[in-house]
Amino acid sequence: MEWDPANIRALRAALRLPQEKFAFQLGAAPKTVRNWEQGQHPPSLALQRELDQAWESASPEQKRRFFACLPPGRKATAWSAVDTDEGEAARAFPMDSPVAQLGGSASRPAPPAVTPDDLKRIAAALQDAHRYMDLEVVEYFRERIAACAVSDGASGPKGVLPVVLGIVGAIESGGRHVKASVRGQLLAVGAQGAEFVAWLYRDLGMQEMADYWRDRAIDWAQEAGDLSMQGYALLKKSQACWDDRDAIRMLSLARAVQEGPWRASIRVRAEAVQQEARCHAMLSGDLEMMERKLDEAQNLLAEGAAHDDQEGGPQLGAHYGPELLTMQIAICYWEAGRPGRAVEVFQDHLTTEAFSRRDYGYFTSLMASALAAAGEPREACRVGIDALGIALATNSTRTTREIARVASCLQPWRHHPPVRDLYDALAASGVTFSSS
Protein backbone atom coordinates (compact mmCIF):
# COMPACT_ATOMS: atom_id res chain seq x y z
CA MET A 1 0.00 0.00 0.00
CA GLU A 2 1.09 3.57 -0.62
CA TRP A 3 1.51 5.04 2.86
CA ASP A 4 0.57 8.70 2.42
CA PRO A 5 -0.67 10.80 5.40
CA ALA A 6 -4.35 9.93 4.82
CA ASN A 7 -3.69 6.19 4.76
CA ILE A 8 -1.52 6.33 7.89
CA ARG A 9 -4.15 8.33 9.82
CA ALA A 10 -6.85 5.91 8.67
CA LEU A 11 -4.83 2.86 9.73
CA ARG A 12 -4.14 4.26 13.19
CA ALA A 13 -7.81 5.16 13.59
CA ALA A 14 -8.85 1.68 12.42
CA LEU A 15 -6.56 0.10 15.02
CA ARG A 16 -7.89 2.58 17.61
CA LEU A 17 -4.42 3.45 18.84
CA PRO A 18 -3.12 6.82 20.05
CA GLN A 19 0.00 8.06 18.30
CA GLU A 20 2.28 6.95 21.13
CA LYS A 21 1.07 3.32 21.14
CA PHE A 22 0.94 3.20 17.35
CA ALA A 23 4.54 4.40 17.21
CA PHE A 24 5.58 1.80 19.80
CA GLN A 25 3.95 -0.98 17.77
CA LEU A 26 5.90 0.09 14.68
CA GLY A 27 9.18 0.69 16.49
CA ALA A 28 9.12 4.40 15.64
CA ALA A 29 9.21 7.56 17.75
CA PRO A 30 5.86 9.31 18.42
CA LYS A 31 7.22 12.43 16.77
CA THR A 32 7.97 10.41 13.64
CA VAL A 33 4.33 9.29 13.40
CA ARG A 34 3.15 12.88 13.92
CA ASN A 35 5.38 14.00 11.07
CA TRP A 36 3.99 11.29 8.79
CA GLU A 37 0.38 12.22 9.51
CA GLN A 38 1.12 15.90 8.95
CA GLY A 39 2.80 15.13 5.63
CA GLN A 40 6.15 16.55 6.72
CA HIS A 41 8.09 13.51 5.48
CA PRO A 42 7.24 9.98 4.27
CA PRO A 43 8.07 6.78 6.16
CA SER A 44 11.42 5.18 5.46
CA LEU A 45 11.51 1.93 3.47
CA ALA A 46 11.94 -0.15 6.64
CA LEU A 47 9.02 1.53 8.41
CA GLN A 48 6.85 1.23 5.30
CA ARG A 49 7.33 -2.51 5.69
CA GLU A 50 6.22 -2.25 9.32
CA LEU A 51 3.09 -0.40 8.17
CA ASP A 52 2.49 -3.13 5.60
CA GLN A 53 2.82 -5.73 8.35
CA ALA A 54 0.35 -3.83 10.56
CA TRP A 55 -2.11 -3.77 7.64
CA GLU A 56 -1.66 -7.49 6.94
CA SER A 57 -2.23 -8.29 10.62
CA ALA A 58 -5.41 -6.21 10.86
CA SER A 59 -8.70 -8.02 11.37
CA PRO A 60 -11.53 -7.81 8.79
CA GLU A 61 -13.37 -5.37 11.08
CA GLN A 62 -10.28 -3.17 11.40
CA LYS A 63 -9.87 -3.15 7.62
CA ARG A 64 -13.51 -2.09 7.23
CA ARG A 65 -12.90 0.74 9.70
CA PHE A 66 -9.81 1.74 7.71
CA PHE A 67 -11.84 2.37 4.55
CA ALA A 68 -14.52 4.14 6.55
CA CYS A 69 -11.91 6.53 7.96
CA LEU A 70 -10.52 7.57 4.57
CA PRO A 71 -11.41 11.04 3.21
CA PRO A 72 -14.16 11.19 0.56
CA GLY A 73 -12.98 10.07 -2.87
CA ARG A 74 -10.10 8.01 -1.47
CA LYS A 75 -11.80 4.63 -1.02
CA ALA A 76 -11.33 3.32 -4.55
CA THR A 77 -7.73 4.52 -4.67
CA ALA A 78 -6.88 2.91 -1.36
CA TRP A 79 -8.50 -0.39 -2.32
CA SER A 80 -6.64 -0.58 -5.61
CA ALA A 81 -3.39 0.17 -3.79
CA VAL A 82 -3.63 -3.05 -1.79
CA ASP A 83 -1.13 -5.59 -3.07
CA THR A 84 -2.75 -7.74 -5.75
CA ASP A 85 -1.23 -11.00 -4.50
CA GLU A 86 -2.54 -10.31 -1.01
CA GLY A 87 -5.99 -9.61 -2.45
CA GLU A 88 -5.90 -12.87 -4.40
CA ALA A 89 -4.86 -14.71 -1.25
CA ALA A 90 -7.72 -13.15 0.69
CA ARG A 91 -10.21 -14.34 -1.92
CA ALA A 92 -8.67 -17.80 -2.06
CA PHE A 93 -8.52 -18.18 1.74
CA PRO A 94 -11.33 -16.39 3.63
CA MET A 95 -10.38 -14.88 6.98
CA ASP A 96 -12.18 -17.66 8.87
CA SER A 97 -10.47 -20.48 6.95
CA PRO A 98 -7.88 -22.78 8.59
CA VAL A 99 -5.10 -21.34 6.39
CA ALA A 100 -5.85 -17.77 7.41
CA GLN A 101 -6.12 -18.74 11.07
CA LEU A 102 -2.63 -20.25 10.87
CA GLY A 103 -1.34 -16.87 9.72
CA GLY A 104 -0.49 -17.97 6.19
CA SER A 105 -1.08 -16.42 2.80
CA ALA A 106 0.05 -16.95 -0.75
CA SER A 107 2.79 -14.37 -0.31
CA ARG A 108 3.64 -14.72 3.39
CA PRO A 109 3.78 -18.30 4.69
CA ALA A 110 3.18 -19.02 8.34
CA PRO A 111 6.14 -19.92 10.56
CA PRO A 112 6.64 -23.68 10.83
CA ALA A 113 4.53 -25.26 13.55
CA VAL A 114 4.21 -28.76 14.93
CA THR A 115 1.22 -30.41 13.22
CA PRO A 116 -0.84 -33.31 14.62
CA ASP A 117 0.99 -35.68 12.26
CA ASP A 118 4.30 -34.32 13.56
CA LEU A 119 3.21 -35.01 17.14
CA LYS A 120 2.14 -38.57 16.32
CA ARG A 121 5.43 -39.25 14.59
CA ILE A 122 7.53 -37.85 17.44
CA ALA A 123 5.37 -39.61 20.07
CA ALA A 124 5.82 -42.99 18.39
CA ALA A 125 9.58 -42.49 18.18
CA LEU A 126 9.76 -41.52 21.85
CA GLN A 127 7.58 -44.40 23.05
CA ASP A 128 9.67 -47.00 21.25
CA ALA A 129 12.83 -45.36 19.93
CA HIS A 130 14.50 -48.66 19.16
CA ARG A 131 11.67 -49.62 16.83
CA TYR A 132 10.43 -46.33 15.35
CA MET A 133 13.35 -43.87 15.46
CA ASP A 134 14.86 -44.88 12.15
CA LEU A 135 16.75 -43.03 9.42
CA GLU A 136 13.47 -41.74 8.00
CA VAL A 137 12.70 -40.03 11.31
CA VAL A 138 16.26 -38.66 11.40
CA GLU A 139 15.78 -37.14 7.96
CA TYR A 140 12.42 -35.75 9.06
CA PHE A 141 14.12 -33.99 11.99
CA ARG A 142 16.76 -32.60 9.63
CA GLU A 143 14.12 -31.19 7.28
CA ARG A 144 12.16 -29.60 10.14
CA ILE A 145 15.28 -27.85 11.43
CA ALA A 146 16.01 -26.55 7.92
CA ALA A 147 12.43 -25.24 7.59
CA CYS A 148 12.73 -23.45 10.93
CA ALA A 149 15.99 -21.83 9.82
CA VAL A 150 14.21 -20.29 6.83
CA SER A 151 11.39 -18.94 9.00
CA ASP A 152 13.82 -17.58 11.59
CA GLY A 153 15.31 -15.09 9.14
CA ALA A 154 11.89 -13.69 8.33
CA SER A 155 10.15 -13.61 11.71
CA GLY A 156 12.83 -14.06 14.37
CA PRO A 157 13.57 -16.65 17.04
CA LYS A 158 10.45 -16.77 19.21
CA GLY A 159 8.27 -18.52 16.67
CA VAL A 160 10.69 -21.33 15.85
CA LEU A 161 12.50 -21.88 19.16
CA PRO A 162 9.79 -24.11 20.72
CA VAL A 163 9.74 -26.31 17.61
CA VAL A 164 13.52 -26.77 17.49
CA LEU A 165 13.72 -27.34 21.25
CA GLY A 166 11.10 -30.07 20.83
CA ILE A 167 13.18 -31.72 18.12
CA VAL A 168 16.46 -31.68 20.06
CA GLY A 169 14.58 -32.87 23.15
CA ALA A 170 13.23 -35.82 21.18
CA ILE A 171 16.72 -36.57 19.90
CA GLU A 172 18.22 -36.43 23.38
CA SER A 173 15.54 -38.71 24.80
CA GLY A 174 15.39 -41.15 21.89
CA GLY A 175 19.16 -41.29 21.51
CA ARG A 176 19.42 -43.45 24.63
CA HIS A 177 17.45 -46.29 23.09
CA VAL A 178 17.90 -45.93 19.34
CA LYS A 179 19.62 -48.63 17.28
CA ALA A 180 23.40 -48.31 17.07
CA SER A 181 23.16 -48.08 13.28
CA VAL A 182 20.98 -44.96 13.61
CA ARG A 183 22.53 -43.27 16.65
CA GLY A 184 25.47 -41.61 14.88
CA GLN A 185 23.30 -39.90 12.25
CA LEU A 186 20.70 -38.98 14.88
CA LEU A 187 23.33 -37.25 17.02
CA ALA A 188 24.78 -35.51 13.97
CA VAL A 189 21.35 -33.97 13.30
CA GLY A 190 21.06 -33.23 17.01
CA ALA A 191 24.34 -31.30 16.84
CA GLN A 192 22.95 -29.19 13.98
CA GLY A 193 19.76 -28.58 15.94
CA ALA A 194 21.63 -27.71 19.15
CA GLU A 195 23.84 -25.23 17.31
CA PHE A 196 20.72 -23.64 15.80
CA VAL A 197 19.12 -23.41 19.25
CA ALA A 198 22.30 -21.69 20.47
CA TRP A 199 21.97 -19.15 17.67
CA LEU A 200 18.31 -18.49 18.53
CA TYR A 201 19.20 -17.87 22.17
CA ARG A 202 22.03 -15.59 21.08
CA ASP A 203 19.62 -13.53 19.00
CA LEU A 204 17.32 -13.34 22.04
CA GLY A 205 20.23 -12.03 24.12
CA MET A 206 20.32 -15.10 26.40
CA GLN A 207 24.04 -15.76 26.30
CA GLU A 208 24.22 -18.44 29.02
CA MET A 209 21.62 -20.56 27.23
CA ALA A 210 23.42 -20.00 23.93
CA ASP A 211 26.71 -21.17 25.48
CA TYR A 212 25.04 -24.28 26.92
CA TRP A 213 23.54 -25.36 23.60
CA ARG A 214 26.73 -24.60 21.67
CA ASP A 215 28.62 -26.89 24.03
CA ARG A 216 25.87 -29.48 23.62
CA ALA A 217 26.34 -29.28 19.86
CA ILE A 218 30.05 -29.96 20.26
CA ASP A 219 29.36 -32.92 22.58
CA TRP A 220 26.97 -34.53 20.11
CA ALA A 221 29.24 -33.80 17.15
CA GLN A 222 32.14 -35.45 18.98
CA GLU A 223 30.08 -38.54 19.79
CA ALA A 224 28.86 -38.71 16.18
CA GLY A 225 32.41 -38.33 14.88
CA ASP A 226 31.36 -35.21 12.95
CA LEU A 227 34.60 -33.22 12.86
CA SER A 228 33.21 -30.60 10.49
CA MET A 229 30.41 -29.74 12.91
CA GLN A 230 32.89 -29.43 15.78
CA GLY A 231 34.88 -26.87 13.83
CA TYR A 232 31.70 -25.04 12.83
CA ALA A 233 30.58 -24.79 16.46
CA LEU A 234 33.99 -23.34 17.39
CA LEU A 235 33.50 -20.71 14.69
CA LYS A 236 30.13 -19.82 16.19
CA LYS A 237 31.79 -19.51 19.60
CA SER A 238 34.24 -17.04 18.06
CA GLN A 239 31.43 -15.02 16.53
CA ALA A 240 29.49 -14.91 19.81
CA CYS A 241 32.53 -13.35 21.51
CA TRP A 242 31.98 -10.23 19.41
CA ASP A 243 28.75 -9.48 21.28
CA ASP A 244 30.97 -8.65 24.28
CA ARG A 245 33.81 -7.33 22.05
CA ASP A 246 36.17 -10.02 23.41
CA ALA A 247 38.71 -9.79 20.59
CA ILE A 248 41.39 -12.00 22.20
CA ARG A 249 39.08 -15.00 22.57
CA MET A 250 37.60 -14.33 19.14
CA LEU A 251 41.07 -14.57 17.63
CA SER A 252 42.13 -17.75 19.45
CA LEU A 253 38.89 -19.54 18.51
CA ALA A 254 39.09 -18.39 14.87
CA ARG A 255 42.62 -19.77 14.65
CA ALA A 256 41.54 -23.03 16.31
CA VAL A 257 38.93 -23.50 13.57
CA GLN A 258 41.70 -23.35 10.95
CA GLU A 259 44.41 -25.25 12.82
CA GLY A 260 42.47 -28.09 14.45
CA PRO A 261 41.60 -31.48 12.92
CA TRP A 262 38.11 -30.33 12.07
CA ARG A 263 38.01 -30.86 8.31
CA ALA A 264 36.18 -27.54 8.12
CA SER A 265 34.54 -26.77 4.80
CA ILE A 266 36.12 -24.11 2.61
CA ARG A 267 33.34 -21.67 3.43
CA VAL A 268 33.81 -22.20 7.16
CA ARG A 269 37.55 -21.59 6.80
CA ALA A 270 36.80 -18.42 4.82
CA GLU A 271 34.57 -17.18 7.63
CA ALA A 272 37.21 -18.00 10.23
CA VAL A 273 39.84 -16.01 8.29
CA GLN A 274 37.43 -13.09 8.10
CA GLN A 275 37.05 -13.36 11.89
CA GLU A 276 40.82 -13.04 12.16
CA ALA A 277 40.70 -9.88 10.05
CA ARG A 278 38.14 -8.34 12.40
CA CYS A 279 40.25 -9.25 15.43
CA HIS A 280 43.31 -7.53 13.94
CA ALA A 281 41.17 -4.45 13.31
CA MET A 282 39.97 -4.46 16.92
CA LEU A 283 43.29 -5.25 18.62
CA SER A 284 45.79 -3.19 16.65
CA GLY A 285 44.01 -1.34 13.87
CA ASP A 286 46.57 -2.89 11.51
CA LEU A 287 44.87 -2.05 8.23
CA GLU A 288 47.42 -3.90 6.10
CA MET A 289 47.07 -7.16 8.04
CA MET A 290 43.29 -6.79 8.12
CA GLU A 291 43.04 -6.30 4.35
CA ARG A 292 45.42 -9.19 3.69
CA LYS A 293 43.20 -11.50 5.73
CA LEU A 294 40.08 -10.20 3.99
CA ASP A 295 41.66 -10.92 0.61
CA GLU A 296 42.43 -14.44 1.81
CA ALA A 297 38.80 -14.88 2.91
CA GLN A 298 37.54 -13.68 -0.48
CA ASN A 299 39.83 -16.12 -2.30
CA LEU A 300 38.66 -19.00 -0.11
CA LEU A 301 35.04 -18.03 -0.70
CA ALA A 302 35.55 -18.14 -4.46
CA GLU A 303 37.21 -21.54 -4.07
CA GLY A 304 34.28 -22.68 -1.94
CA ALA A 305 31.78 -21.70 -4.65
CA ALA A 306 33.71 -23.75 -7.21
CA HIS A 307 33.86 -26.69 -4.78
CA ASP A 308 30.08 -26.52 -4.26
CA ASP A 309 29.58 -26.78 -8.02
CA GLN A 310 31.78 -29.88 -8.14
CA GLU A 311 30.04 -31.51 -5.17
CA GLY A 312 26.55 -30.75 -6.52
CA GLY A 313 25.57 -28.26 -3.82
CA PRO A 314 26.73 -26.16 -0.86
CA GLN A 315 28.31 -27.77 2.20
CA LEU A 316 28.34 -26.74 5.89
CA GLY A 317 28.43 -22.95 6.15
CA ALA A 318 26.46 -22.54 2.91
CA HIS A 319 24.91 -19.30 4.21
CA TYR A 320 28.31 -17.60 3.98
CA GLY A 321 28.53 -15.85 0.62
CA PRO A 322 29.85 -12.64 -0.95
CA GLU A 323 27.03 -10.50 0.45
CA LEU A 324 27.71 -11.54 4.03
CA LEU A 325 31.47 -11.17 3.60
CA THR A 326 30.91 -7.63 2.32
CA MET A 327 29.03 -6.75 5.51
CA GLN A 328 31.92 -8.18 7.53
CA ILE A 329 34.34 -6.04 5.51
CA ALA A 330 32.33 -2.97 6.50
CA ILE A 331 32.50 -4.00 10.17
CA CYS A 332 36.26 -4.48 9.90
CA TYR A 333 36.77 -0.95 8.56
CA TRP A 334 34.60 0.42 11.35
CA GLU A 335 36.59 -1.48 13.99
CA ALA A 336 39.86 -0.32 12.39
CA GLY A 337 38.87 3.34 12.91
CA ARG A 338 37.64 3.96 9.35
CA PRO A 339 33.90 4.48 9.96
CA GLY A 340 33.47 6.62 6.84
CA ARG A 341 34.71 3.78 4.65
CA ALA A 342 32.45 1.36 6.54
CA VAL A 343 29.43 3.56 5.84
CA GLU A 344 30.25 3.57 2.14
CA VAL A 345 30.36 -0.22 2.04
CA PHE A 346 27.09 -0.52 3.97
CA GLN A 347 25.33 1.98 1.73
CA ASP A 348 26.55 0.29 -1.45
CA HIS A 349 25.77 -3.30 -0.49
CA LEU A 350 23.16 -3.50 2.29
CA THR A 351 19.84 -4.32 0.60
CA THR A 352 16.64 -6.10 1.56
CA GLU A 353 17.10 -8.42 -1.42
CA ALA A 354 20.45 -9.73 -0.16
CA PHE A 355 19.44 -10.47 3.45
CA SER A 356 16.59 -11.81 5.52
CA ARG A 357 14.46 -9.26 7.33
CA ARG A 358 16.11 -9.94 10.70
CA ASP A 359 19.66 -9.82 9.28
CA TYR A 360 18.89 -6.66 7.33
CA GLY A 361 17.81 -5.03 10.60
CA TYR A 362 20.97 -6.20 12.36
CA PHE A 363 23.35 -4.86 9.73
CA THR A 364 21.33 -1.65 9.58
CA SER A 365 21.98 -1.20 13.32
CA LEU A 366 25.73 -1.63 12.66
CA MET A 367 25.56 0.95 9.89
CA ALA A 368 23.98 3.32 12.41
CA SER A 369 26.97 2.71 14.71
CA ALA A 370 29.38 3.48 11.88
CA LEU A 371 27.47 6.68 11.10
CA ALA A 372 27.67 7.73 14.75
CA ALA A 373 31.41 7.04 14.80
CA ALA A 374 31.77 9.05 11.58
CA GLY A 375 30.19 12.09 13.24
CA GLU A 376 26.84 11.93 11.44
CA PRO A 377 24.34 11.90 14.33
CA ARG A 378 21.23 12.85 12.35
CA GLU A 379 21.65 10.04 9.83
CA ALA A 380 22.71 7.62 12.58
CA CYS A 381 19.43 8.30 14.40
CA ARG A 382 17.32 7.90 11.27
CA VAL A 383 18.97 4.57 10.42
CA GLY A 384 18.89 3.46 14.06
CA ILE A 385 15.14 4.03 14.34
CA ASP A 386 14.59 2.04 11.15
CA ALA A 387 16.67 -0.82 12.57
CA LEU A 388 14.76 -0.68 15.86
CA GLY A 389 11.46 -1.21 14.08
CA ILE A 390 12.77 -4.35 12.41
CA ALA A 391 14.40 -5.58 15.64
CA LEU A 392 11.12 -5.33 17.52
CA ALA A 393 9.20 -7.05 14.74
CA THR A 394 11.67 -9.96 14.63
CA ASN A 395 12.33 -10.13 18.40
CA SER A 396 16.07 -9.65 17.86
CA THR A 397 17.53 -8.58 21.19
CA ARG A 398 20.98 -8.77 19.62
CA THR A 399 19.95 -5.96 17.26
CA THR A 400 18.33 -3.80 19.95
CA ARG A 401 21.53 -4.05 22.00
CA GLU A 402 23.53 -2.73 19.04
CA ILE A 403 21.08 0.16 18.72
CA ALA A 404 21.55 0.86 22.45
CA ARG A 405 25.30 1.10 21.71
CA VAL A 406 24.49 3.66 19.02
CA ALA A 407 22.48 5.68 21.52
CA SER A 408 25.38 5.66 23.98
CA CYS A 409 27.80 6.80 21.26
CA LEU A 410 25.51 9.75 20.53
CA GLN A 411 25.83 11.25 24.01
CA PRO A 412 27.74 14.34 22.72
CA TRP A 413 24.61 15.19 20.67
CA ARG A 414 22.05 14.07 23.26
CA HIS A 415 20.22 17.43 23.24
CA HIS A 416 19.73 17.42 19.45
CA PRO A 417 16.14 16.63 18.35
CA PRO A 418 17.04 13.58 16.17
CA VAL A 419 18.95 12.05 19.07
CA ARG A 420 16.05 12.70 21.41
CA ASP A 421 13.79 10.92 18.90
CA LEU A 422 16.04 7.85 19.00
CA TYR A 423 16.15 7.96 22.81
CA ASP A 424 12.34 8.24 22.94
CA ALA A 425 11.94 5.28 20.56
CA LEU A 426 14.28 3.14 22.66
CA ALA A 427 12.55 4.14 25.89
CA ALA A 428 9.12 3.36 24.41
CA SER A 429 10.45 -0.05 23.39
CA GLY A 430 11.77 -0.80 26.87
CA VAL A 431 15.43 -0.80 25.75
CA THR A 432 17.85 0.47 28.39
CA PHE A 433 20.96 2.44 27.46
CA SER A 434 23.36 4.97 28.94
CA SER A 435 22.48 8.56 27.96
CA SER A 436 24.28 10.49 30.71
Side-chain angles (χ1 to χ4, degrees):
M1 179 176 293
E2 178 185 350
W3 292 109
D4 62 14
N7 280 338
I8 294 172
R9 288 194 298 270
L11 178 61
R12 184 170 63 81
L15 299 177
R16 294 179 175 171
L17 293 174
Q19 284 182 335
E20 290 76 11
K21 289 187 177 180
F22 186 55
F24 176 79
Q25 178 176 308
L26 298 172
K31 182 178 179 181
T32 300
V33 173
R34 288 195 295 273
N35 289 339
W36 293 345
E37 295 188 357
Q38 294 168 6
Q40 294 184 13
H41 63 73
S44 66
L45 181 62
L47 286 171
Q48 283 189 48
R49 286 193 292 271
E50 296 306 315
L51 288 164
D52 289 340
Q53 183 67 30
W55 166 259
E56 292 170 3
S57 302
S59 68
E61 177 59 32
Q62 289 169 332
K63 290 187 177 183
R64 284 192 288 271
R65 285 202 300 266
F66 168 83
F67 293 114
C69 292
L70 288 172
R74 286 298 307 279
K75 291 181 175 57
T77 303
W79 180 254
S80 63
V82 178
D83 182 81
T84 302
D85 290 339
E86 188 72 21
E88 291 294 332
R91 285 191 287 276
F93 303 107
M95 290 302 295
D96 58 351
S97 72
V99 172
Q101 290 175 10
L102 286 172
S105 76
S107 59
R108 184 170 56 89
V114 178
T115 67
D117 286 343
D118 296 339
L119 292 174
K120 290 177 183 177
R121 193 182 194 97
I122 294 172
L126 290 177
Q127 287 173 4
D128 190 349
H130 189 77
R131 180 178 180 184
Y132 292 108
M133 195 167 282
D134 53 16
L135 293 180
E136 187 177 346
V137 171
V138 172
E139 184 58 29
Y140 167 79
F141 285 153
R142 190 193 312 276
E143 290 173 355
R144 291 295 297 167
I145 291 169
C148 287
V150 172
S151 180
D152 166 57
S155 57
K158 287 189 176 179
V160 299
L161 183 57
V163 180
V164 187
L165 281 173
I167 292 171
V168 296
I171 290 172
E172 184 163 29
S173 177
R176 301 169 187 167
H177 310 289
V178 74
K179 295 176 183 177
S181 59
V182 176
R183 181 174 170 79
Q185 294 190 49
L186 178 67
L187 293 182
V189 173
Q192 294 175 20
E195 194 285 315
F196 184 37
V197 169
W199 154 247
L200 294 171
Y201 276 121
R202 180 188 173 199
D203 199 27
L204 287 169
M206 302 174 69
Q207 194 58 50
E208 288 186 6
M209 292 298 293
D211 290 342
Y212 168 82
W213 282 104
R214 209 172 287 114
D215 289 342
R216 200 78 183 94
I218 292 176
D219 289 345
W220 277 343
Q222 287 175 334
E223 191 172 347
D226 190 343
L227 288 173
S228 295
M229 190 64 205
Q230 294 175 55
Y232 186 69
L234 282 180
L235 173 64
K236 295 305 173 182
K237 278 180 174 282
S238 175
Q239 292 174 344
C241 290
W242 193 64
D243 295 345
D244 297 322
R245 302 306 191 261
D246 187 350
I248 294 293
R249 190 156 187 256
M250 280 175 62
L251 181 59
S252 62
L253 286 167
R255 286 176 173 167
V257 174
Q258 301 168 70
E259 297 168 359
W262 316 118
R263 300 176 190 167
S265 71
I266 299 172
R267 288 177 182 270
V268 170
R269 296 207 310 271
E271 199 166 1
V273 172
Q274 164 261 299
Q275 279 289 99
E276 273 201 79
R278 190 190 302 189
C279 294
H280 287 300
M282 295 171 69
L283 293 169
S284 64
D286 187 337
L287 203 62
E288 183 179 351
M289 174 65 79
M290 180 195 83
E291 290 179 335
R292 186 160 63 249
K293 285 293 180 179
L294 289 174
D295 287 343
E296 183 181 344
Q298 287 179 311
N299 292 334
L300 280 169
L301 197 54
E303 183 183 344
H307 182 266
D308 291 344
D309 291 340
Q310 293 173 1
E311 295 294 321
Q315 307 302 307
L316 192 63
H319 70 285
Y320 192 67
E323 297 85 0
L324 187 51
L325 175 57
T326 302
M327 293 297 98
Q328 306 294 352
I329 289 172
I331 297 169
C332 285
Y333 277 114
W334 165 38
E335 291 284 13
R338 302 291 183 89
R341 175 62 180 140
V343 170
E344 291 175 2
V345 176
F346 278 127
Q347 290 176 336
D348 289 344
H349 298 280
L350 179 55
T351 66
T352 54
E353 291 77 19
F355 299 97
S356 69
R357 187 184 188 201
R358 188 266 322 287
D359 290 348
Y360 177 80
Y362 177 66
F363 289 124
T364 299
S365 73
L366 299 183
M367 179 167 68
S369 287
L371 285 162
E376 299 186 40
R378 181 180 295 275
E379 189 66 7
C381 291
R382 183 190 68 78
V383 172
I385 289 174
D386 286 355
L388 180 61
I390 301 172
L392 295 175
T394 57
N395 300 298
S396 178
T397 301
R398 185 177 66 133
T399 302
T400 58
R401 286 181 175 176
E402 292 299 334
I403 300 167
R405 290 179 188 270
V406 176
S408 297
C409 290
L410 291 171
Q411 288 182 19
W413 299 277
R414 61 184 176 274
H415 298 302
H416 291 203
V419 179
R420 296 308 314 173
D421 286 345
L422 176 60
Y423 285 3
D424 290 345
L426 285 167
S429 305
V431 180
T432 58
F433 60 96
S434 174
S435 60
S436 58

